[in-house]
Amino acid sequence: MKMNLTLLPGEGGIWLKEQQVGELLAMNAEAGKYGLALTPAAAAEIVEERNRVLAGCGRVDLNVSVTKQLIASFSSSPFVQPEDYVPLLHDLHEVFYYLKNETEDTIGDAELIAILKDAYENTCRGDSELLKGKIAAAIVERFRTERRDVNCWGNEEADR
Amino acid sequence: MNNENRQPVVPDRQELQPIGRPDQNTAAFRPGGRVDREAADGFRAEVMLLLQELILQYTADSSSSVRVETAERILRSLLYTIEVGKQSGPETGPGRPRTRSARELYGRGLQILTACLADAKELYSEVKWKKLSVPLRTYNYTINEALPEFFLSYEVLFGAHETMANIDYPLLCDVPDLQGVFYLHRYLAQLALENEFCRCFRPEEIMRLLHNYGRIYDIDYRVSMVNICEIVVNNAVFAILAGRPPGELTLTPAQASDLSRELHALAPGELEAAVLSALAQIGTAPGGRPGLAEYLRQYAAGLVPRVRIAAASGSLDALILTEPAAEAAGPVFIGGERMDDRRFAAVCRRITESKTAAAKAAVILAEISSPEDLVDLFEADCLFGDEYTTVFRRLDATVLAVLGRVAFEAELRAGPLSLAALTAPPESGTEWQEKYLEYLRSLRGERRQAVEKMLNTVRII
């Protein structure tokens, strides 16, 4: 039996979407310090794009706390220009939820955002394509190597 | 403690059975009863908020998102818990106001489930404590492993609806179509009742019944899916109908034949009345647990038609478990219960770590009580060379004969064995069998005679 997790109050979850758009618009106060702001249409687009990414990754996120954390963290970066702001948030959602899956939920939201922010500024120098590509692949590779090491170590322990 | 303020967290055990398989489909997003659209929307919004909170709890506040499968599992659990709250609330009676708050229903449902889980754990302690000592694999596995695994894996917050357990041991009466911890609670309550009932009879009587069951149906009862209580109740009924004193289970073939003739002569109504009366006597016998009489009445629905059909077709002999004829009966060896894997491994370790053969033998004699475990131990490379002989010397003639029946099973099927004729171990012989044969051939005098006699006559049950 497949459940309908999109069954939200009212017609098609409009009520919730409005609430989430409102929450993102409220982040303009913070982002505005760095000359960044979302229009209601852009905020709505971000919510929709985020939902599309979630569906593509097979994940459920019932609030926009991750989006708000991404805004709070990345808006202070000197590499973010107003014209790149919305596309950057789309890219960040994509890489964030991809990595949540690939690292098997072992990295918490705040920690993963900190890793992405550090890589975005220090390795990618503001190139979000590089972040989504090579950097994401490197994070996944490191996770798998560490897990393999842990498993090997664990097996040795068990054999003793 | 002020008892007046204490809330009754667990409903009476008899009442802990109302939740079957509530509708966990999207329809369960409603508060129940006739509500307007606004109330329904508000209820759904509350459910989604609760789901969001549970997801955060699930990830220990580290992540707000989870995979769809995880979210679905948590949502199922949440809706199940709400349904428990709906069906168990004080306002479920006619004319009582219904709560419209999903959070309130959830809280109430969670309280009931948590209390049910705690009560199920108590019941499990009782079942474990009063477990019968029988070498029946499904019974022992269910109690020793499957039930503890359920308690380890059951998550009332995130999988309240789940019944993830390999509970293979069948009960006298099927557990109704329940879910989650309600299923387990009912299963344990019935199992406790059955254990208590069986404990009214002597363990040797029950072992004889099990052995006779295996003999009559030509199966190894130890690996069968038989319900112990069922064969005990059946034979107790037949013993009463045959005029045996209360508490007796064993019938001879002659007694069973007489009873078959008597029951065959009864009209169907008289037969049913006789069986029901015998069940009632058993159910109300001193020492019986409350609820036993009702449980046996429930079982009667299955037993009465079986007896009626068997009596009509003259095949009651297949239902009545009898002792073999006296000449076929020999000495009986009743083995103890097998160890679980963990305990067996610990004993093996202790034996391996023992420095002398005498110390190893002492551990074996102190710890091993089932012939199967003894054979497994011999095959587990814990003993070497003459250490086997040291152990054999300390075993009595009956246990030595039991080992012989395992080692020479094929030869014994062909007829009685003489120790003098045993010159080689079985073809697929292992080290212990070679050493065993060597030891048997070295025996002299009374011990040799005793082992030889036992080897050909002992029945292992």
Side-chain angles (χ1 to χ4, degrees), chain A:
Chain A
M1 180 177 65
K2 196 78 179 164
M3 285 196 161
N4 184 7
L5 279 167
T6 59
L7 188 73
L8 298 170
E11 293 293 334
I14 288 172
W15 172 83
L16 188 66
K17 190 178 166 192
E18 279 175 5
Q19 187 192 327
Q20 290 174 340
V21 167
E23 284 184 52
L24 296 193
L25 290 175
M27 293 301 290
N28 280 343
E30 169 90 15
K33 292 180 203 162
Y34 309 99
L36 303 171
L38 291 173
T39 62
E45 185 192 323
I46 285 169
V47 170
E48 269 174 32
E49 178 62 13
R50 182 199 80 125
N51 290 343
R52 191 190 62 75
V53 169
L54 281 167
C57 291
R59 295 187 71 83
V60 170
D61 197 343
L62 294 173
N63 62 38
V64 284
S65 68
V66 165
T67 310
K68 286 158 69 178
Q69 286 178 72
L70 287 170
I71 290 173
S73 177
F74 281 75
S75 59
S76 63
S77 171
F79 294 102
V80 182
Q81 300 303 313
E83 62 274 21
D84 301 330
Y85 186 37
V86 172
L88 173 67
L89 287 172
H90 291 339
D91 287 345
L92 288 174
H93 279 127
E94 206 173 305
V95 70
F96 177 86
Y97 289 115
Y98 166 77
L99 285 173
K100 288 293 279 190
N101 274 354
E102 293 302 313
T103 57
E104 297 174 9
D105 291 293
T106 51
I107 307 178
D109 291 352
E111 187 186 351
L112 184 55
I113 288 169
I115 291 170
L116 290 175
K117 169 84 181 301
D118 181 61
Y120 176 76
E121 291 196 331
N122 299 318
T123 314
C124 305
R125 311 294 293 168
D127 183 348
S128 62
E129 285 301 316
L130 185 59
L131 186 70
K132 282 199 301 180
K134 285 187 177 172
I135 297 301
I139 292 171
V140 172
E141 184 55 32
R142 194 173 63 197
F143 164 78
R144 288 180 183 158
T145 307
E146 282 171 4
R147 196 179 55 172
R148 204 163 42 235
D149 290 348
V150 167
N151 285 346
C152 288
W153 182 250
N155 288 340
E156 280 171 17
E157 284 288 299
D159 289 343
R160 279 179 198 173

Side-chain angles (χ1 to χ4, degrees), chain B residues 344-357:
Chain B
F344 183 79
V347 171
C348 284
R349 210 167 27 248
R350 276 181 62 198
I351 293 169
T352 312
E353 286 166 5
S354 298
K355 293 202 167 50
T356 63

Side-chain angles (χ1 to χ4, degrees), chain A residues 1-5 7-11 15 54 57-63 65-66 96-97 100-102 105 108-110, chain B residues 23-26 29 37 41-42 44-46 48-49 51-52 55-56 62-69 71-72 75-76 79:
Chain A
M1 180 177 65
K2 196 78 179 164
M3 285 196 161
N4 184 7
L5 279 167
L7 188 73
L8 298 170
E11 293 293 334
W15 172 83
L54 281 167
C57 291
R59 295 187 71 83
V60 170
D61 197 343
L62 294 173
N63 62 38
S65 68
V66 165
F96 177 86
Y97 289 115
K100 288 293 279 190
N101 274 354
E102 293 302 313
D105 291 293
D109 291 352
Chain B
D23 179 13
Q24 293 165 51
N25 219 326
T26 48
F29 273 87
R37 189 189 175 98
D41 282 353
R44 283 199 290 266
E46 258 193 303
M48 297 314 281
L49 200 60
L51 177 61
Q52 192 176 309
I55 287 174
L56 276 174
S62 75
S63 176
S64 67
S65 67
V66 287
R67 285 177 182 268
V68 168
E69 307 80 62
E72 281 183 349
L75 179 59
R76 265 181 228 279
L79 295 179

Side-chain angles (χ1 to χ4, degrees), chain B residues 73-182:
Chain B
R73 176 179 175 240
I74 297 171
L75 179 59
R76 265 181 228 279
S77 174
L78 166 61
L79 295 179
Y80 177 79
T81 307
I82 287 175
E83 199 62 26
V84 170
K86 272 187 204 172
Q87 293 185 23
S88 312
E91 66 278 2
T92 48
R96 304 251 179 95
R98 282 173 181 274
T99 177
R100 299 282 183 250
S101 161
R103 188 174 292 278
E104 193 184 315
L105 290 172
Y106 176 74
R108 184 191 298 159
L110 188 61
Q111 191 185 24
I112 289 166
L113 286 166
T114 308
C116 185
L117 181 61
D119 203 45
K121 284 180 179 170
E122 269 185 39
L123 274 171
Y124 174 69
S125 300
E126 184 189 329
V127 162
K128 180 94 179 149
W129 177 248
K130 295 189 174 172
K131 184 174 159 294
L132 305 170
S133 181
V134 287
L136 191 64
R137 195 171 294 173
T138 51
Y139 178 79
N140 290 319
Y141 173 80
T142 296
I143 295 177
N144 293 338
E145 295 181 43
L147 292 169
E149 271 168 25
F150 173 88
F151 288 118
L152 278 179
S153 64
Y154 184 72
E155 294 180 298
V156 73
L157 281 180
F158 312 119
H161 57 297
E162 290 171 351
T163 321
M164 304 280 275
N166 296 319
I167 297 171
D168 292 333
Y169 179 65
L171 295 178
L172 184 67
C173 299
D174 286 342
V175 175
D177 191 22
L178 297 173
Q179 210 175 340
V181 73
F182 285 116

Side-chain angles (χ1 to χ4, degrees), chain B residues 8 15 31 40 48 53 105 135 171 214 245 251 260 262 271-272 276 315 341 375 378 387 421:
Chain B
E15 292 168 16
M48 297 314 281
E53 290 169 14
L105 290 172
L171 295 178
L251 292 175
S260 292
E262 282 172 30
L271 181 65
E272 181 173 342
L276 290 176
S315 58
D341 290 348
V375 170
F378 286 157
E387 289 174 350

